Amino acid sequence: MISKIKAFFKRPDVNNSRQMNIDYAKAMSIFFMVFIHVLLNPAYVRLKDTIFGRLADRYFGGFMAAPIFMSAMGIGLTYTRHGQPNQIIKRGIKFFILSFVLNIARGFSVIIYSTVMHRSNLGAFYIYEIFNGDILGFVGLALILFGLLKKLKHHKIIIPSLALIFTIIVTAVPPIYTNIDALGYTIGYIFPIGQTIIAGGTVVTEDLIVFFPLMSWFSVVAFGYVYGLVIHKIKNLDRFYLITAMIGLVLFVPILFTEVFCGYGEMNKDATTLQNYLKTFPDLVMSIGFIMLNFSFWHLVCKVTSDKLNKFFFMMSNAINEIYIISWVLILNVGYMILNYAIGGIDGKIWVYVVTYALIMIASIFLGMMWKQLKIRHQEKKKIMKV
């Protein structure tokens, strides 16, 4: 078995060009990430407690969002022209720093409002707004770790092996719950640290301080990396995606069935969200199953899409980081402030949610793609000046 695997990876690469179905999957993931981020607005607290809200929280904003984005990132690491270890580490450092810049930018108006209104415990609130870990912080740490591991001789074996060890640890060791925020803003970036708030002797809130701990989510990136290495070697992609779709069904559907009908993951409780962010072994298997189904689905769709549509999704995929950043800035500085403070909130109205989501999504895509094009032009000018 091992000898066959070694022989497979010694084959010459036959798929070195950009994979359009991965671009579609990656671009679509931002629609679902924004979908759930808009729903987090307190104005929709009642909507979130409906069947629609729980489906959005667990599935539309769960499997269809971050796991697809992160696995596509892993695949991209096998196709990038900037794949030297030091280049990857440098990118990781930039993303990690950028995550704090984003926190300040997206929370700017909320911080100003809280300061003007003399909100209590402002110091802790500012720290939370600045150091609250999001997906960009994880991306930064994952790239740094990936770059360091890639310096090792047998990194293609070490990376997935270490990711598996991480998942086993996260599955076996429950999150640490504490009211010491400093632990969450440091160790929480590596291992799940939950925040416990006690009121009148009763625990009222349990949540991860950093939503994407490295040990919880690195396996998703590692899976994407191995998946990308395999794609490079495949001659018959139609057959490959048919097989992986069947494997995906086997991995995803049984756990989905037990979750919905037997209570695994507590579908009807708030613990569902925590389960998704922890990425324990069952949830990782379920995510991998859905990722396989998703990539196979877009491979099929790409057979009938037009060149213009392909170009649009390619540009969206290429600008996904910029779109993500702008979406968060708009969600909190525009959507959050207007709904909660300017008009006092419109609680539970699905039409308000749909309109807000659509406007933020359109603006984010437009501004994000424009930002990306300006960056490309700036880089081209720098190259010309060097010559």
Side-chain angles (χ1 to χ4, degrees):
M1 183 68 176
I2 295 175
S3 60
K4 288 184 178 180
I5 293 173
K6 286 182 178 180
F8 174 82
F9 283 106
K10 285 181 180 179
R11 293 181 188 176
D13 291 349
V14 293
N15 282 309
N16 292 324
S17 59
R18 195 163 185 124
Q19 304 299 301
M20 201 64 234
N21 64 318
I22 307 301
D23 279 332
Y24 270 83
K26 186 178 175 183
M28 286 303 299
S29 72
I30 193 67
F31 283 93
F32 294 107
M33 282 191 272
V34 176
F35 186 89
I36 190 61
H37 291 161
V38 173
L39 191 63
L40 294 177
N41 191 311
Y44 306 121
V45 64
R46 290 182 185 173
L47 183 60
K48 192 177 178 184
D49 284 335
T50 63
I51 293 176
F52 167 80
R54 294 193 180 280
L55 286 172
D57 202 12
R58 178 59 168 159
Y59 299 104
F60 304 137
F63 298 110
M64 298 183 184
I68 300 297
F69 173 80
M70 292 178 184
S71 56
M73 167 185 156
I75 293 171
L77 287 168
T78 70
Y79 281 91
T80 180
R81 291 173 295 175
H82 309 288
Q84 294 302 313
N86 288 339
Q87 291 176 311
I88 296 173
I89 293 170
K90 186 178 178 180
R91 281 177 59 204
I93 294 171
K94 286 182 178 178
F95 270 109
F96 193 66
I97 295 172
L98 184 60
S99 69
F100 299 113
V101 176
L102 173 60
N103 283 348
I104 295 170
R106 72 181 181 177
F108 179 77
S109 60
V110 181
I111 288 173
I112 295 299
Y113 176 86
S114 298
T115 302
V116 172
M117 298 302 292
H118 305 292
R119 177 172 175 164
S120 62
N121 200 15
L122 279 175
F125 178 67
Y126 294 155
I127 291 171
Y128 174 80
E129 286 297 330
I130 295 170
F131 294 98
N132 178 30
D134 195 55
I135 199 168
L136 287 186
F138 164 80
V139 168
L141 290 177
L143 287 174
I144 292 169
L145 177 59
F146 191 93
L148 291 171
L149 294 175
K150 200 171 181 184
K151 289 176 178 283
L152 303 177
K153 184 178 179 181
H154 300 292
H155 64 271
K156 291 180 181 178
I157 298 173
I158 293 171
I159 289 171
S161 299
L162 180 62
L164 181 60
I165 291 170
F166 281 170
T167 298
I168 292 171
I169 293 172
V170 170
T171 304
V173 182
I176 300 170
Y177 287 102
T178 178
N179 57 0
I180 305 173
D181 290 347
L183 286 176
Y185 299 130
T186 52
I187 300 172
Y189 277 93
I190 308 298
F191 183 83
I193 302 289
Q195 184 181 45
T196 301
I197 299 174
I198 301 175
T202 304
V203 176
V204 294
T205 301
E206 287 187 353
D207 209 349
L208 294 186
I209 296 175
V210 175
F211 286 106
F212 297 96
L214 181 67
M215 292 180 68
S216 294
W217 285 85
F218 189 69
S219 291
V220 182
V221 178
F223 168 75
Y225 175 67
V226 173
Y227 194 89
L229 292 175
V230 171
I231 291 174
H232 278 280
K233 310 294 180 182
I234 300 297
K235 291 181 180 179
N236 188 341
L237 285 174
D238 290 338
R239 183 170 178 269
F240 170 76
Y241 281 115
L242 177 61
I243 293 172
T244 54
M246 290 189 290
I247 295 172
L249 281 171
V250 170
L251 296 178
F252 182 71
V253 173
I255 300 179
L256 174 66
F257 180 85
T258 56
E259 177 170 295
V260 174
F261 295 102
C262 305
Y264 166 78
E266 302 182 66
M267 174 58 194
N268 296 315
K269 298 181 181 179
D270 289 336
T272 301
T273 303
L274 181 61
Q275 176 75 17
N276 181 48
Y277 285 118
L278 280 179
K279 275 291 170 285
T280 55
F281 193 78
D283 202 76
L284 176 66
V285 170
M286 196 173 176
S287 294
I288 288 174
F290 182 81
I291 290 166
M292 287 182 169
L293 285 169
N294 190 276
F295 291 159
S296 297
F297 169 77
W298 288 114
H299 173 74
L300 191 64
V301 170
C302 285
K303 290 181 176 294
V304 295
T305 53
S306 65
D307 290 340
K308 287 185 178 180
L309 192 61
N310 289 346
K311 183 179 179 181
F312 174 77
F313 273 90
F314 163 75
M315 292 174 67
M316 258 199 78
S317 175
N318 203 30
I320 194 167
N321 296 323
E322 289 78 9
I323 295 171
Y324 177 84
I325 291 168
I326 289 172
S327 72
W328 257 130
V329 173
L330 292 177
I331 286 167
L332 282 184
N333 289 297
V334 180
Y336 188 96
M337 292 300 292
I338 290 176
L339 284 174
N340 289 283
Y341 302 122
I343 58 177
I346 304 178
D347 196 6
K349 296 290 191 279
I350 194 168
W351 70 265
V352 179
Y353 167 79
V354 171
V355 171
T356 306
Y357 168 72
L359 291 175
I360 288 175
M361 196 70 248
I362 292 168
S364 299
I365 293 172
F366 176 75
L367 294 173
M369 291 172 71
M370 183 183 292
W371 180 8
K372 185 66 176 182
Q373 290 304 308
L374 289 173
K375 283 174 66 177
I376 292 172
R377 289 175 188 175
H378 178 68
Q379 291 169 355
E380 289 173 350
K381 285 182 180 179
K382 284 177 68 176
K383 287 180 181 179
I384 293 171
M385 289 176 68
K386 286 182 179 180
V387 175

